[in-house]
Amino acid sequence: MTDTPQLTPKQERFVLSYLENGGNASEAYRTAYDAGGMSDKTVWEAASRLLGSSKVSARVNELKERHLKKHNVTID
């Protein structure tokens, strides 16, 4: 079993939204954070920084692995 990284509630919401939206980081950022006054470029940059965070990327990978195992998906 892997250790689950400790994320803030907004980071966790971002991760879940990112996975639910097929990897659309900007949309996930808008879902998790107050991005109303932000330009598309700023949202993309913030979302990219979040995905670059080791804790956030570890959580994304953990949930992807869990999903693959649950549905018995292999590369073959």
Side-chain angles (χ1 to χ4, degrees), residues 20-34:
E20 290 169 1
N21 288 309
N24 185 329
S26 293
E27 188 59 36
Y29 188 87
R30 287 184 184 94
T31 299
Y33 293 88
D34 181 18

Side-chain angles (χ1 to χ4, degrees), residues 3-75:
D3 291 326
T4 301
Q6 293 299 315
L7 302 179
T8 68
K10 287 183 180 184
Q11 288 171 327
E12 183 70 16
R13 227 173 305 145
F14 171 82
V15 168
L16 295 175
S17 180
Y18 176 75
L19 294 171
E20 290 169 1
N21 288 309
N24 185 329
S26 293
E27 188 59 36
Y29 188 87
R30 287 184 184 94
T31 299
Y33 293 88
D34 181 18
M38 297 170 74
S39 70
D40 289 343
K41 179 180 183 286
T42 303
V43 168
W44 181 86
E45 289 169 344
S48 182
R49 276 193 304 277
L50 264 178
L51 284 175
S53 159
S54 60
K55 291 193 312 187
V56 171
S57 63
R59 182 68 172 144
V60 167
N61 289 333
E62 175 190 14
L63 292 178
K64 279 183 180 179
E65 284 180 30
R66 193 181 298 175
H67 179 78
L68 293 175
K69 286 179 185 175
K70 178 180 178 184
H71 295 287
N72 199 25
V73 176
T74 64
I75 294 175

